[in-house]
């Protein structure tokens, strides 16, 4: 197995080179993205000849802030939450502690970082980083427990960064409404996962106003491109699409669970965009699925783990079912 598949999902071109076929032949279940994306083709055409409009940026941040439940001055658009993490590491300039298991990017951004347990008592002025829902195990923490932990970290002069990349699936679990001036709680939100448009590279940082001002200075005049401004604002304003998607995702996740259970695998996680399977022969199962042109997510430090994104329709689910059974779809 190539090391490329162990770092991020979505490497379909590399999978095609390694296992055959063209990228179009592959079913990509490696990313945890909504496979039924927001219909961006339905919005007004974007003027690619003009620089991104500062007023459009303000409209996007205002629409996103309403969606998250925060004041606009506490919301800063960024070209993806991974970029935000790396900028925050520079801006905060403190040692980091990443929850285990966690995103590889969390550990990298604050390197050198040390492992942390959720809710542990901070002993020094540090930055704690964790995801809610967590990735890859899908564990979802109670927002009251998250805020209580943030208060203990704040009392030491440290920061808690809560990566809510998948939180649009669980709006009641978000701690965005706790973000406030003078409180060292930072929340990251991703646009691409729930809305299924990862190629826009759009995300948001929610935090104290002074930190938002510093991030804007680091990002410069045009932090996101014109397409992201237009599509993001339209998506956050489409309450009907958001409500339908929140209802549909758990149904599709339950269908995936049924298929995995049928083949002796035990899915876990609360996030309806992906499931983690543990205690399996991860390398052999990855290869079997890859030979059927299905890409899932393996892990370098846990060869008995695989993460499965949720298939978008019955045909994709049947294809996975057939591959797990070792037969042609």
């Amino acid at each position: 197995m190539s090391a490329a598949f162990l770092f991020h999902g979505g490497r379909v071109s590399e999978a095609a080179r390694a296992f055959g076929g063209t990228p179009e032949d592959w079913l990509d279940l490696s990313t945890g993205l909504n496979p039924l994306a927001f219909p961006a083709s339905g919005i007004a055409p974007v003027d690619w000849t003009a620089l991104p409009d500062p007023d459009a940026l303000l409209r996007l941040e205002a629409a996103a802030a309403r969606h998250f439940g925060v004041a606009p001055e506490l919301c800063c658009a960024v070209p993806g939450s991974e970029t935000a993490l790396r900028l925050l590491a520079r801006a905060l300039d403190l040692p980091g502690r990443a929850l285990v298991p966690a995103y590889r990017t969390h550990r990298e951004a604050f390197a050198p970082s040390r492992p942390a347990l959720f809710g542990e008592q901070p002993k020094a002025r540090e930055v704690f980083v964790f995801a809610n829902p967590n990735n890859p195990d899908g564990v979802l923490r109670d927002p009251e427990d998250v805020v209580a932990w943030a208060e203990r970290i704040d009392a030491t002069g440290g920061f808690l960064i809560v990566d809510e990349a998948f939180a649009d699936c669980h709006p009641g679990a978000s701690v965005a409404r706790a973000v406030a001036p003078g409180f060292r709680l930072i929340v990251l939100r991703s646009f691409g996962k729930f809305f299924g448009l990862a190629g826009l590279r759009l995300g948001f940082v929610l935090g104290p106003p002074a930190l938002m001002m510093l991030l804007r200075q680091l990002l410069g005049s045009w932090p996101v491109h014109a397409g992201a401004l237009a599509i993001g604002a339209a998506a956050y304003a489409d309450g009907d699409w958001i409500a339908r998607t929140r209802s549909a995702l758990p149904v599709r996740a339950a269908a995936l669970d049924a298929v995995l259970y049928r083949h002796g695998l035990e899915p876990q996680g609360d996030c309806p965009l992906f499931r983690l399977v543990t205690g399996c022969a991860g390398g052999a199962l990855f290869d079997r699925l890859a030979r059927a042109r299905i890409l899932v997510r393996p892990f370098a430090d846990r060869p008995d783990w695989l993460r499965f994104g949720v298939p978008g329709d019955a045909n994709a689910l049947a294809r996975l079912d057939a591959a797990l059974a070792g037969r042609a779809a």
Side-chain angles (χ1 to χ4, degrees), residues 85-140:
L85 272 167
R86 298 180 189 280
L87 286 176
L88 285 169
R90 290 175 53 194
L92 299 177
D93 194 26
L94 290 173
R97 305 197 70 181
L99 196 69
V100 176
Y103 287 85
R104 186 168 177 171
T105 305
H106 291 176
R107 299 192 299 270
E108 283 189 347
F110 287 90
S113 62
R114 297 185 288 132
L117 297 176
F118 178 79
E120 72 175 55
Q121 182 61 37
K123 299 180 176 62
R125 188 168 175 258
E126 295 177 303
V127 179
F128 288 75
V129 187
F130 90 107
N132 197 39
N134 196 37
N135 182 20
D137 58 13
V139 170
L140 187 64

Side-chain angles (χ1 to χ4, degrees), residues 181-207:
F183 187 25
R184 296 182 186 87
L185 169 66
I186 301 168
V187 174
L188 303 183
R189 296 295 291 255
S190 170
F191 177 81
K193 293 180 172 62
F194 178 79
F195 290 96
L197 297 171
L200 279 186
R201 303 312 305 142
L202 177 61
F204 299 86
V205 181
L206 315 178

Side-chain angles (χ1 to χ4, degrees), residues 2 4-5 10-26 290 293 295:
S2 168
F5 304 124
R11 298 181 181 267
V12 176
S13 295
E14 293 173 66
R17 287 194 295 271
F19 293 95
T22 67
E24 292 73 23
D25 297 329
W26 281 72
R293 312 288 193 263
L295 185 61

Side-chain angles (χ1 to χ4, degrees), residues 186-255:
I186 301 168
V187 174
L188 303 183
R189 296 295 291 255
S190 170
F191 177 81
K193 293 180 172 62
F194 178 79
F195 290 96
L197 297 171
L200 279 186
R201 303 312 305 142
L202 177 61
F204 299 86
V205 181
L206 315 178
L211 179 60
M212 298 301 94
M213 185 179 302
L214 177 57
L215 280 179
R216 291 188 173 99
Q217 290 173 350
L218 292 173
L219 287 163
S221 300
W222 302 287
V224 296
H225 62 69
L229 295 178
I231 294 170
Y236 284 123
D238 196 336
D240 290 341
W241 187 91
I242 291 169
R244 289 196 306 272
T245 300
R246 283 176 174 158
S247 296
L249 283 173
V251 175
R252 294 206 295 272

